[in-house]
Amino acid sequence: MIRLFHRCALAALLISAWLAQPAGAQLIRLKDLVEVDGVRGNDLVGYGLVVGLNGTGDTLRNAPFTEEIMANLLERLGVNITGEDLRPRNVAAVFVTASLPPFARAGARMDVTVSAMGDAKSLLGGTLVMTPLNGADGNVYAVAQGTVVAGGIAAEGRAARVVQGVPTAGSVPAGARVEREVAFDFTGVTQLRLALKVPDFTTAARIEQAINADLGRNVAVMTDAGTVAIDLAAARIGSPAHAIARIERLLIEPETRARVVVDQRSGTIVMGADVRISRVAVAQGNLTIRVEEAPLVSQPNPFASGETVDVPRTSAEIATDGSGLAEVPAGTSLSEVVAGLNALGVAPHDMIDILKSINAAGALHAELVVQ
């Protein structure tokens, strides 16, 4: 069970009501808990040009590589521009990245991400020109081309500019076509290794028991907290693909560590259901320092000798607003503490400071992750 607390009062009320419900075991499919060793994607990268921009492209004087890419592309198309002074503003040099899915065959489509390399202001409305995508070995595995869907918008006038999102990055849905397949003989695999996404000894042991119960033999062995090995020869299943298709639908109850994650920027707190605290006393208050200046002007009467002077008037005040010392009994769940702090109207950032102090005192029995 995951519990979320945010600064929104309505959300806090809804979540507090949800926290009051009893927690139950949640069964997760095996395919959502593990990755099959060897069955993974491959990262691809390339660089190319986005054309058709409405004057928001690179300034060639500041991005000379854009001119070089454009010249090479035009020369491959039979256009000689040697000695020409090019100054287009509708072209931008971009990096193109993608992930080649496992078992991708020639002709399959995949999405690509486009990011500006130079000083282009926006890629909105542009078109990515044919761009080869290379793997880590230097070979071309896919070719990308298509209309760029930018994730933001920018507008400007003579004296002001407003930007929402990131208009210099976008994507091309199904914009790349696979040209080369990754050689991998999956049918010749004699042992499968399941890698847990979140290593845990208890979860790995439950996966081992579930697989052995389904296959009827001791074919699965937990080697460590993050790996479960399956002997396909002992399982006597037709192929590795059939074995994965049979066991990936098994339901497992995962075990997770007690953890509290806080985001100081947004004031968000996320915690697990098993978080507990020991007996501890908490006092929290706010210190307010206020200094006000209200100077007076003293000047002589008309036709009288004298000088106009400033008479300083300063008001200084220090105020404290605290709720005293509160004692939390042992064995209390952290969700109950946070629900009580929400009911008292404690701000999220103050709540984060309280959690840090409880953890520093050694009373928080969970992993505290601060982002």
mmCIF file of all heavy atoms in Angstrom, residues 150-188:
data_model
loop_
_atom_site.group_PDB
_atom_site.id
_atom_site.type_symbol
_atom_site.label_atom_id
_atom_site.label_comp_id
_atom_site.label_asym_id
_atom_site.label_seq_id
_atom_site.Cartn_x
_atom_site.Cartn_y
_atom_site.Cartn_z
ATOM 1 N N ALA A 150 6.204 18.763 -30.604
ATOM 2 C CA ALA A 150 6.904 19.450 -29.525
ATOM 3 C C ALA A 150 6.059 19.443 -28.264
ATOM 4 O O ALA A 150 4.826 19.436 -28.319
ATOM 5 C CB ALA A 150 7.248 20.879 -29.933
ATOM 6 N N GLY A 151 6.750 19.470 -27.102
ATOM 7 C CA GLY A 151 6.056 19.395 -25.819
ATOM 8 C C GLY A 151 5.833 20.724 -25.155
ATOM 9 O O GLY A 151 5.490 20.774 -23.979
ATOM 10 N N GLY A 152 6.035 21.837 -25.842
ATOM 11 C CA GLY A 152 5.847 23.146 -25.224
ATOM 12 C C GLY A 152 5.524 24.181 -26.275
ATOM 13 O O GLY A 152 5.356 23.887 -27.459
ATOM 14 N N ILE A 153 5.470 25.434 -25.840
ATOM 15 C CA ILE A 153 5.148 26.533 -26.740
ATOM 16 C C ILE A 153 5.870 27.772 -26.257
ATOM 17 O O ILE A 153 6.090 27.959 -25.054
ATOM 18 C CB ILE A 153 3.621 26.770 -26.812
ATOM 19 C CG1 ILE A 153 3.298 27.781 -27.913
ATOM 20 C CG2 ILE A 153 3.075 27.224 -25.467
ATOM 21 C CD1 ILE A 153 1.820 27.908 -28.178
ATOM 22 N N ALA A 154 6.271 28.615 -27.196
ATOM 23 C CA ALA A 154 6.963 29.856 -26.868
ATOM 24 C C ALA A 154 6.386 30.981 -27.708
ATOM 25 O O ALA A 154 6.041 30.785 -28.877
ATOM 26 C CB ALA A 154 8.469 29.721 -27.114
ATOM 27 N N ALA A 155 6.258 32.160 -27.093
ATOM 28 C CA ALA A 155 5.766 33.347 -27.779
ATOM 29 C C ALA A 155 6.569 34.540 -27.293
ATOM 30 O O ALA A 155 6.952 34.618 -26.123
ATOM 31 C CB ALA A 155 4.273 33.558 -27.514
ATOM 32 N N GLU A 156 6.842 35.481 -28.202
ATOM 33 C CA GLU A 156 7.639 36.629 -27.823
ATOM 34 C C GLU A 156 7.251 37.844 -28.636
ATOM 35 O O GLU A 156 6.692 37.752 -29.736
ATOM 36 C CB GLU A 156 9.132 36.337 -28.004
ATOM 37 C CG GLU A 156 9.552 36.078 -29.432
ATOM 38 C CD GLU A 156 11.054 35.838 -29.535
ATOM 39 O OE1 GLU A 156 11.795 36.473 -28.756
ATOM 40 O OE2 GLU A 156 11.467 35.043 -30.382
ATOM 41 N N GLY A 157 7.533 38.996 -28.055
ATOM 42 C CA GLY A 157 7.361 40.272 -28.725
ATOM 43 C C GLY A 157 8.680 41.016 -28.734
ATOM 44 O O GLY A 157 9.748 40.443 -28.571
ATOM 45 N N ARG A 158 8.612 42.318 -28.887
ATOM 46 C CA ARG A 158 9.831 43.108 -28.957
ATOM 47 C C ARG A 158 10.496 43.272 -27.599
ATOM 48 O O ARG A 158 11.705 43.454 -27.513
ATOM 49 C CB ARG A 158 9.517 44.475 -29.543
ATOM 50 C CG ARG A 158 8.971 44.418 -30.967
ATOM 51 C CD ARG A 158 8.704 45.794 -31.512
ATOM 52 N NE ARG A 158 9.922 46.616 -31.528
ATOM 53 C CZ ARG A 158 9.943 47.898 -31.898
ATOM 54 N NH1 ARG A 158 8.827 48.498 -32.268
ATOM 55 N NH2 ARG A 158 11.082 48.564 -31.885
ATOM 56 N N ALA A 159 9.707 43.198 -26.531
ATOM 57 C CA ALA A 159 10.275 43.463 -25.208
ATOM 58 C C ALA A 159 9.981 42.368 -24.188
ATOM 59 O O ALA A 159 10.348 42.510 -23.031
ATOM 60 C CB ALA A 159 9.760 44.798 -24.673
ATOM 61 N N ALA A 160 9.318 41.302 -24.584
ATOM 62 C CA ALA A 160 8.981 40.246 -23.628
ATOM 63 C C ALA A 160 8.901 38.916 -24.347
ATOM 64 O O ALA A 160 8.632 38.861 -25.555
ATOM 65 C CB ALA A 160 7.667 40.544 -22.914
ATOM 66 N N ARG A 161 9.117 37.845 -23.589
ATOM 67 C CA ARG A 161 9.053 36.490 -24.130
ATOM 68 C C ARG A 161 8.503 35.568 -23.055
ATOM 69 O O ARG A 161 8.882 35.669 -21.888
ATOM 70 C CB ARG A 161 10.435 36.006 -24.561
ATOM 71 C CG ARG A 161 10.449 34.644 -25.249
ATOM 72 C CD ARG A 161 11.807 34.372 -25.866
ATOM 73 N NE ARG A 161 11.815 33.133 -26.640
ATOM 74 C CZ ARG A 161 12.300 31.981 -26.208
ATOM 75 N NH1 ARG A 161 12.828 31.907 -24.994
ATOM 76 N NH2 ARG A 161 12.278 30.916 -26.963
ATOM 77 N N VAL A 162 7.606 34.665 -23.430
ATOM 78 C CA VAL A 162 7.021 33.716 -22.499
ATOM 79 C C VAL A 162 7.187 32.314 -23.066
ATOM 80 O O VAL A 162 7.016 32.097 -24.274
ATOM 81 C CB VAL A 162 5.521 34.033 -22.243
ATOM 82 C CG1 VAL A 162 4.714 33.960 -23.527
ATOM 83 C CG2 VAL A 162 4.946 33.087 -21.190
ATOM 84 N N VAL A 163 7.566 31.382 -22.193
ATOM 85 C CA VAL A 163 7.809 30.002 -22.595
ATOM 86 C C VAL A 163 7.067 29.082 -21.640
ATOM 87 O O VAL A 163 7.128 29.259 -20.419
ATOM 88 C CB VAL A 163 9.312 29.655 -22.573
ATOM 89 C CG1 VAL A 163 9.528 28.197 -22.948
ATOM 90 C CG2 VAL A 163 10.077 30.562 -23.515
ATOM 91 N N GLN A 164 6.337 28.126 -22.181
ATOM 92 C CA GLN A 164 5.652 27.120 -21.386
ATOM 93 C C GLN A 164 6.087 25.748 -21.857
ATOM 94 O O GLN A 164 6.005 25.433 -23.041
ATOM 95 C CB GLN A 164 4.130 27.264 -21.498
ATOM 96 C CG GLN A 164 3.370 26.260 -20.640
ATOM 97 C CD GLN A 164 1.862 26.465 -20.720
ATOM 98 O OE1 GLN A 164 1.397 27.338 -21.419
ATOM 99 N NE2 GLN A 164 1.124 25.657 -19.999
ATOM 100 N N GLY A 165 6.549 24.915 -20.917
ATOM 101 C CA GLY A 165 7.061 23.606 -21.284
ATOM 102 C C GLY A 165 8.459 23.706 -21.875
ATOM 103 O O GLY A 165 9.213 24.648 -21.610
ATOM 104 N N VAL A 166 8.816 22.731 -22.696
ATOM 105 C CA VAL A 166 10.148 22.684 -23.326
ATOM 106 C C VAL A 166 9.945 22.594 -24.835
ATOM 107 O O VAL A 166 9.851 21.494 -25.398
ATOM 108 C CB VAL A 166 10.971 21.479 -22.806
ATOM 109 C CG1 VAL A 166 12.372 21.514 -23.385
ATOM 110 C CG2 VAL A 166 11.028 21.481 -21.287
ATOM 111 N N PRO A 167 9.864 23.725 -25.532
ATOM 112 C CA PRO A 167 9.616 23.674 -26.978
ATOM 113 C C PRO A 167 10.814 23.215 -27.789
ATOM 114 O O PRO A 167 10.678 22.971 -28.982
ATOM 115 C CB PRO A 167 9.245 25.125 -27.311
ATOM 116 C CG PRO A 167 9.907 25.936 -26.255
ATOM 117 C CD PRO A 167 9.908 25.095 -25.014
ATOM 118 N N THR A 168 11.996 23.105 -27.174
ATOM 119 C CA THR A 168 13.181 22.677 -27.911
ATOM 120 C C THR A 168 13.386 21.167 -27.876
ATOM 121 O O THR A 168 14.450 20.679 -28.255
ATOM 122 C CB THR A 168 14.430 23.375 -27.334
ATOM 123 O OG1 THR A 168 14.498 23.115 -25.929
ATOM 124 C CG2 THR A 168 14.374 24.865 -27.579
ATOM 125 N N ALA A 169 12.415 20.435 -27.382
ATOM 126 C CA ALA A 169 12.468 18.971 -27.381
ATOM 127 C C ALA A 169 11.097 18.437 -27.752
ATOM 128 O O ALA A 169 10.070 19.044 -27.426
ATOM 129 C CB ALA A 169 12.897 18.428 -26.019
ATOM 130 N N GLY A 170 11.080 17.323 -28.439
ATOM 131 C CA GLY A 170 9.811 16.737 -28.863
ATOM 132 C C GLY A 170 10.003 15.278 -29.218
ATOM 133 O O GLY A 170 11.039 14.666 -28.938
ATOM 134 N N SER A 171 9.012 14.704 -29.835
ATOM 135 C CA SER A 171 9.046 13.293 -30.216
ATOM 136 C C SER A 171 8.431 13.114 -31.589
ATOM 137 O O SER A 171 7.681 13.973 -32.072
ATOM 138 C CB SER A 171 8.295 12.440 -29.186
ATOM 139 O OG SER A 171 6.926 12.805 -29.145
ATOM 140 N N VAL A 172 8.759 11.989 -32.196
ATOM 141 C CA VAL A 172 8.162 11.586 -33.470
ATOM 142 C C VAL A 172 7.532 10.220 -33.238
ATOM 143 O O VAL A 172 8.234 9.211 -33.232
ATOM 144 C CB VAL A 172 9.203 11.533 -34.594
ATOM 145 C CG1 VAL A 172 8.530 11.179 -35.920
ATOM 146 C CG2 VAL A 172 9.951 12.845 -34.701
ATOM 147 N N PRO A 173 6.226 10.155 -32.991
ATOM 148 C CA PRO A 173 5.585 8.856 -32.730
ATOM 149 C C PRO A 173 5.721 7.929 -33.935
ATOM 150 O O PRO A 173 5.423 8.315 -35.073
ATOM 151 C CB PRO A 173 4.113 9.232 -32.474
ATOM 152 C CG PRO A 173 4.147 10.682 -32.084
ATOM 153 C CD PRO A 173 5.274 11.279 -32.864
ATOM 154 N N ALA A 174 6.192 6.717 -33.675
ATOM 155 C CA ALA A 174 6.412 5.721 -34.736
ATOM 156 C C ALA A 174 7.230 6.308 -35.865
ATOM 157 O O ALA A 174 6.996 6.022 -37.041
ATOM 158 C CB ALA A 174 5.075 5.183 -35.252
ATOM 159 N N GLY A 175 8.207 7.128 -35.503
ATOM 160 C CA GLY A 175 8.980 7.851 -36.512
ATOM 161 C C GLY A 175 10.215 7.133 -37.004
ATOM 162 O O GLY A 175 10.883 7.641 -37.898
ATOM 163 N N ALA A 176 10.554 5.989 -36.447
ATOM 164 C CA ALA A 176 11.750 5.262 -36.883
ATOM 165 C C ALA A 176 11.362 3.864 -37.345
ATOM 166 O O ALA A 176 10.484 3.222 -36.760
ATOM 167 C CB ALA A 176 12.775 5.180 -35.754
ATOM 168 N N ARG A 177 12.025 3.416 -38.387
ATOM 169 C CA ARG A 177 11.805 2.069 -38.911
ATOM 170 C C ARG A 177 13.067 1.240 -38.704
ATOM 171 O O ARG A 177 14.168 1.683 -39.023
ATOM 172 C CB ARG A 177 11.446 2.118 -40.397
ATOM 173 C CG ARG A 177 10.961 0.787 -40.954
ATOM 174 C CD ARG A 177 10.802 0.863 -42.461
ATOM 175 N NE ARG A 177 9.910 1.935 -42.850
ATOM 176 C CZ ARG A 177 8.582 1.800 -42.940
ATOM 177 N NH1 ARG A 177 8.023 0.647 -42.636
ATOM 178 N NH2 ARG A 177 7.831 2.820 -43.326
ATOM 179 N N VAL A 178 12.909 0.049 -38.141
ATOM 180 C CA VAL A 178 14.040 -0.835 -37.877
ATOM 181 C C VAL A 178 14.586 -1.359 -39.198
ATOM 182 O O VAL A 178 13.836 -1.874 -40.038
ATOM 183 C CB VAL A 178 13.625 -1.999 -36.953
ATOM 184 C CG1 VAL A 178 14.795 -2.942 -36.715
ATOM 185 C CG2 VAL A 178 13.086 -1.453 -35.633
ATOM 186 N N GLU A 179 15.910 -1.218 -39.377
ATOM 187 C CA GLU A 179 16.573 -1.676 -40.594
ATOM 188 C C GLU A 179 17.481 -2.875 -40.355
ATOM 189 O O GLU A 179 17.797 -3.612 -41.289
ATOM 190 C CB GLU A 179 17.394 -0.534 -41.201
ATOM 191 C CG GLU A 179 16.577 0.687 -41.580
ATOM 192 C CD GLU A 179 15.619 0.419 -42.733
ATOM 193 O OE1 GLU A 179 15.850 -0.575 -43.465
ATOM 194 O OE2 GLU A 179 14.659 1.191 -42.907
ATOM 195 N N ARG A 180 17.930 -3.068 -39.107
ATOM 196 C CA ARG A 180 18.830 -4.172 -38.791
ATOM 197 C C ARG A 180 18.369 -4.824 -37.493
ATOM 198 O O ARG A 180 18.015 -4.131 -36.532
ATOM 199 C CB ARG A 180 20.271 -3.678 -38.640
ATOM 200 C CG ARG A 180 21.272 -4.792 -38.329
ATOM 201 C CD ARG A 180 22.572 -4.177 -37.817
ATOM 202 N NE ARG A 180 23.233 -3.419 -38.864
ATOM 203 C CZ ARG A 180 24.228 -3.870 -39.623
ATOM 204 N NH1 ARG A 180 24.683 -5.097 -39.426
ATOM 205 N NH2 ARG A 180 24.774 -3.117 -40.536
ATOM 206 N N GLU A 181 18.365 -6.150 -37.447
ATOM 207 C CA GLU A 181 17.954 -6.878 -36.260
ATOM 208 C C GLU A 181 19.170 -7.228 -35.398
ATOM 209 O O GLU A 181 20.271 -7.420 -35.911
ATOM 210 C CB GLU A 181 17.210 -8.164 -36.644
ATOM 211 C CG GLU A 181 15.966 -7.924 -37.490
ATOM 212 C CD GLU A 181 15.314 -9.218 -37.922
ATOM 213 O OE1 GLU A 181 15.828 -10.293 -37.543
ATOM 214 O OE2 GLU A 181 14.301 -9.165 -38.648
ATOM 215 N N VAL A 182 18.936 -7.291 -34.083
ATOM 216 C CA VAL A 182 19.985 -7.695 -33.157
ATOM 217 C C VAL A 182 19.995 -9.219 -33.086
ATOM 218 O O VAL A 182 18.987 -9.841 -32.752
ATOM 219 C CB VAL A 182 19.753 -7.091 -31.764
ATOM 220 C CG1 VAL A 182 20.819 -7.571 -30.782
ATOM 221 C CG2 VAL A 182 19.755 -5.574 -31.841
ATOM 222 N N ALA A 183 21.143 -9.801 -33.394
ATOM 223 C CA ALA A 183 21.253 -11.272 -33.414
ATOM 224 C C ALA A 183 21.210 -11.813 -31.991
ATOM 225 O O ALA A 183 22.032 -11.456 -31.146
ATOM 226 C CB ALA A 183 22.546 -11.684 -34.104
ATOM 227 N N PHE A 184 20.217 -12.672 -31.725
ATOM 228 C CA PHE A 184 20.097 -13.287 -30.404
ATOM 229 C C PHE A 184 19.288 -14.574 -30.549
ATOM 230 O O PHE A 184 18.104 -14.551 -30.913
ATOM 231 C CB PHE A 184 19.395 -12.337 -29.425
ATOM 232 C CG PHE A 184 19.206 -12.921 -28.046
ATOM 233 C CD1 PHE A 184 20.289 -13.391 -27.322
ATOM 234 C CD2 PHE A 184 17.942 -13.007 -27.476
ATOM 235 C CE1 PHE A 184 20.125 -13.913 -26.056
ATOM 236 C CE2 PHE A 184 17.762 -13.532 -26.213
ATOM 237 C CZ PHE A 184 18.854 -13.990 -25.495
ATOM 238 N N ASP A 185 19.943 -15.719 -30.272
ATOM 239 C CA ASP A 185 19.299 -17.027 -30.400
ATOM 240 C C ASP A 185 18.631 -17.366 -29.066
ATOM 241 O O ASP A 185 19.228 -18.002 -28.193
ATOM 242 C CB ASP A 185 20.334 -18.089 -30.780
ATOM 243 C CG ASP A 185 19.679 -19.447 -31.036
ATOM 244 O OD1 ASP A 185 18.435 -19.484 -31.181
ATOM 245 O OD2 ASP A 185 20.418 -20.452 -31.083
ATOM 246 N N PHE A 186 17.387 -16.965 -28.929
ATOM 247 C CA PHE A 186 16.682 -17.188 -27.670
ATOM 248 C C PHE A 186 16.262 -18.648 -27.514
ATOM 249 O O PHE A 186 16.116 -19.146 -26.398
ATOM 250 C CB PHE A 186 15.453 -16.279 -27.607
ATOM 251 C CG PHE A 186 14.789 -16.242 -26.261
ATOM 252 C CD1 PHE A 186 15.469 -15.776 -25.148
ATOM 253 C CD2 PHE A 186 13.479 -16.688 -26.104
ATOM 254 C CE1 PHE A 186 14.861 -15.745 -23.910
ATOM 255 C CE2 PHE A 186 12.871 -16.657 -24.869
ATOM 256 C CZ PHE A 186 13.564 -16.180 -23.767
ATOM 257 N N THR A 187 16.085 -19.339 -28.616
ATOM 258 C CA THR A 187 15.653 -20.743 -28.541
ATOM 259 C C THR A 187 16.754 -21.652 -27.995
ATOM 260 O O THR A 187 16.461 -22.743 -27.509
ATOM 261 C CB THR A 187 15.230 -21.247 -29.927
ATOM 262 O OG1 THR A 187 16.343 -21.101 -30.840
ATOM 263 C CG2 THR A 187 14.047 -20.448 -30.452
ATOM 264 N N GLY A 188 18.020 -21.198 -28.065
ATOM 265 C CA GLY A 188 19.110 -22.028 -27.577
ATOM 266 C C GLY A 188 19.410 -21.837 -26.097
ATOM 267 O O GLY A 188 20.343 -22.460 -25.578
#
